[in-house]
Amino acid sequence: MPHYTGPLLTRDSAIALQRAFDGGASQWQGSLDLLRSQDDVALSAAGFGFRGQPYPWPGKLKDRTLYFWDGEGFAPISRFATSLIKLVPTDWGAPTFEIDGIKMLPTAKVSPFEDARRKVELVSPAGKVVLDTCGGLGYFAACCLEAGVGQVRSFEKNPDVLWLRTLNPWSPDPDAPAAGGRLQIAQGDISREIEHVASNSIDAILHDPPRFGIAGELYSQVFYDHLARVIRKGGRLFHYTGAPNRLTSGRDVPREVARRLEKAGFKAELALDGVLAVKKG
């Protein structure tokens, strides 16, 4: 699917446009692509102009919601199939997303994109073949491309999340010149697709699964054994676990993960909000 290039509105940006026009301005300068760039936006009684295209003034917009032009009006970037999936703006520019109201990326203390960059640095992707098991909005893949990765093989189970990516300017476009054909994205359940990945074909792995209660199969010994099979000797793996409260959950998920990865053939240690592991010989 081609990536969207029109304006992305939040309630705050729509208010800023309207206030500028009401104050007598014929032009507003700012970002309508989540801080990826700055544009000169023409203002008139009929609406505003963005990158040579006219758009009408939007109606009332909700907080914590992103809107895109769907050809007829400004529509929220959300879908409901088996669950409600929504792209959510942040103060950092790069958005997060929610599934049934559960925030899927950290945003409180750092940009979700910068958070991804710190984790990607742990596996040193330059020149490597990287397996991105649960692609999400593609921030791991984008940071790998920035770092000079050889190839990223990315899987995402949910088609609605892949749709969010086409509307998010922070998500990498596999067809963009900057990607250089290095990013391969496939819709698929990695717990099954991993069986078809060749042994010793991967240099590094980034594993950012949903929480244990939602996708327990991605924390299983069977799955970790497959990760050990596909990665080469000395290859690095970063496994996001988060930091679930042991007092409420009764479990120490990061240490459970580390023990299973050790059993699969990795040397593992806690790192950031997850586990960093290296394939042993």
Side-chain angles (χ1 to χ4, degrees), residues 236-256:
R236 294 186 176 190
L237 176 155
F238 178 75
H239 185 319
Y240 170 76
T241 62
N245 191 322
R246 293 179 61 186
L247 296 178
T248 57
S249 68
R251 307 187 66 169
D252 187 338
V253 174
R255 294 192 184 280
E256 286 184 22

Side-chain angles (χ1 to χ4, degrees), residues 9-22:
L9 296 182
T10 63
R11 187 176 70 173
D12 288 346
S13 62
I15 289 174
L17 289 171
Q18 188 68 60
R19 283 178 176 170
F21 176 70
D22 291 345

Side-chain angles (χ1 to χ4, degrees), residues 159-177:
D160 290 334
V161 174
L162 293 175
W163 174 72
L164 292 184
R165 289 173 71 137
T166 68
L167 296 168
N168 179 12
W170 290 84
S171 294
D173 181 353
D175 297 323

Side-chain angles (χ1 to χ4, degrees), residues 108 128 213 265:
K128 296 179 179 179

Side-chain angles (χ1 to χ4, degrees), residues 256-275:
E256 286 184 22
V257 164
R259 285 195 294 270
R260 292 193 190 112
L261 288 173
E262 291 271 4
K263 185 176 180 181
F266 292 91
K267 180 181 179 181
E269 63 182 54
L270 303 188
L272 299 178
D273 50 3
V275 178

Side-chain angles (χ1 to χ4, degrees), residues 174-240:
D175 297 323
R182 294 175 294 154
L183 173 56
Q184 299 177 355
I185 303 174
Q187 183 188 338
D189 183 343
I190 189 60
S191 69
R192 298 175 182 175
E193 298 295 333
I194 192 69
E195 298 177 9
H196 307 295
V197 178
S199 299
N200 302 307
S201 64
I202 302 297
D203 297 310
I205 297 173
L206 292 160
H207 185 42
D208 185 7
R211 61 184 181 177
F212 181 85
I214 296 175
E217 69 278 6
L218 297 181
Y219 297 76
S220 70
Q221 191 65 56
V222 170
F223 184 70
Y224 294 160
D225 288 345
H226 273 298
L227 294 183
R229 175 184 61 79
V230 303
I231 195 169
R232 297 186 176 99
K233 177 183 176 181
R236 294 186 176 190
L237 176 155
F238 178 75
H239 185 319
Y240 170 76

